[in-house]
Amino acid sequence: AQKITQTQPGMFVQEKEAVTLDCTYDTSDQSYGLFWYKQPSSGEMIFLIYQGSYDEQNATEGRYSLNFQKARKSANLVISASQLGDSAMYFCAMREGLNVNEKLTFGTGTRLTIIP
Amino acid sequence: DAGVIQSPRHEVTEMGQEVTLRCKPISGHDYLFWYRQTMMRGLELLIYFNNNVPIDDSGMPEDRFSAKMPNASFSTLKIQPSEPRDSAVYFCATSIQGEHSSGNTIYFGEGSWLTVV
């Protein structure tokens, strides 16, 4: 079974609208972390936001927020007021366990295109 | 602060040639990871180091691949001999074991785009 599932291969969104990128995960661990990375066309992987399994509040970083629904095992990324520069691939990732030496598993990504 | 620095950014080489990819981690980070990204397999962990010591190389595809970390500020990933199926983006990423609240986030370099013809 896939540990990280991103069901939207591609999305087109009008500039200034909010965007939700879906991510579901599969783990039996109680301790885990969820990450979102952005990969623009230039190729670098940019860390956006992190949510720990024990965090009671949804993580927020500027225009990014993570809609964490633990019972549903979902960790959707919400981008408010989208901008043209948000066009990129977005990857959801999970670490089972909280230590840095534990493997990070990535989803297949969602390609987001912002339309002017 | 400088991020993870990788070189070269792009390399085109002929099959059979040796390829060396280089990485300078973020200062103070004690974990270093090498990842490979392809369309078919996505992002795969190849190997990681802790305090310059290789801990898990189970993701290294073949004996043609080797990685070293001679000191805390430098690592190499070498492919010898290279093959067309090695064409991919190779990322170096680093992290530091810290507070769980930070997620022990892994920070990636810009990647080295390798094409073997």
Side-chain angles (χ1 to χ4, degrees):
Chain A
Q2 293 288 329
K3 286 189 177 291
I4 293 286
T5 302
Q6 295 181 253
T7 57
Q8 306 150 310
M11 287 185 70
F12 290 84
V13 173
Q14 203 75 36
E15 189 181 6
K16 299 182 184 177
E17 289 186 352
V19 180
T20 297
L21 304 181
D22 295 341
C23 173
T24 57
Y25 59 92
D26 181 27
T27 181
S28 56
D29 283 6
Q30 296 300 309
S31 301
Y32 54 89
L34 298 155
F35 302 78
W36 278 92
Y37 286 86
K38 172 184 178 182
Q39 187 176 37
S41 57
S42 51
E44 68 266 37
M45 292 285 286
I46 302 167
F47 166 71
L48 295 178
I49 197 166
Y50 162 79
Q51 180 87 40
S53 59
Y54 295 115
D55 295 341
E56 295 184 351
Q57 293 192 335
N58 288 341
T60 59
E61 289 286 348
R63 293 187 300 113
Y64 304 108
S65 60
L66 200 152
N67 184 1
F68 181 46
Q69 298 188 38
K70 196 169 182 176
R72 297 180 61 186
K73 294 188 176 179
S74 75
N76 298 340
L77 177 70
V78 180
I79 306 174
S80 64
S82 58
Q83 302 171 356
L84 296 178
D86 294 332
S87 294
M89 282 288 287
Y90 288 81
F91 292 94
C92 180
M94 176 176 66
R95 171 185 288 131
E96 293 179 282
L98 297 178
N99 294 319
V100 68
N101 60 323
E102 302 188 61
K103 186 178 177 180
L104 205 59
T105 303
F106 286 84
T108 53
T110 296
R111 183 172 297 281
L112 174 65
T113 303
I114 306 299
I115 305 166
Chain B
D1 288 340
V4 179
I5 299 172
Q6 290 187 246
S7 64
R9 283 299 315 276
H10 297 89
E11 174 133 356
V12 180
T13 190
E14 290 187 346
M15 183 174 63
Q17 295 298 306
E18 178 180 292
V19 174
T20 299
L21 308 178
R22 298 172 178 80
C23 176
K24 177 178 170 56
I26 295 172
S27 177
H29 281 198
D30 53 356
Y31 283 84
L32 184 142
F33 305 82
W34 282 100
Y35 281 84
R36 178 172 68 176
Q37 184 181 33
T38 61
M39 288 294 293
M40 291 298 295
R41 300 174 68 91
L43 274 153
E44 304 173 278
L45 177 64
L46 300 178
I47 185 172
Y48 80 89
F49 296 82
N50 177 219
N51 291 322
N52 313 338
V53 176
I55 302 300
D56 184 354
D57 65 354
S58 59
M60 295 285 262
E62 299 172 34
D63 291 346
R64 297 184 296 106
F65 287 70
S66 62
K68 294 181 179 179
M69 192 165 184
N71 58 61
S73 58
F74 184 65
S75 177
T76 59
L77 177 68
K78 187 174 293 187
I79 309 172
Q80 166 63 19
S82 57
E83 297 182 3
R85 60 194 168 118
D86 301 331
S87 298
V89 183
Y90 291 83
F91 286 101
C92 176
T94 71
S95 187
I96 183 169
Q97 183 73 45
E99 296 181 0
H100 288 164
S101 61
S102 73
N104 297 316
T105 298
I106 294 178
Y107 295 93
F108 285 75
E110 293 184 320
S112 291
W113 297 62
L114 174 65
T115 303
V116 183
V117 297

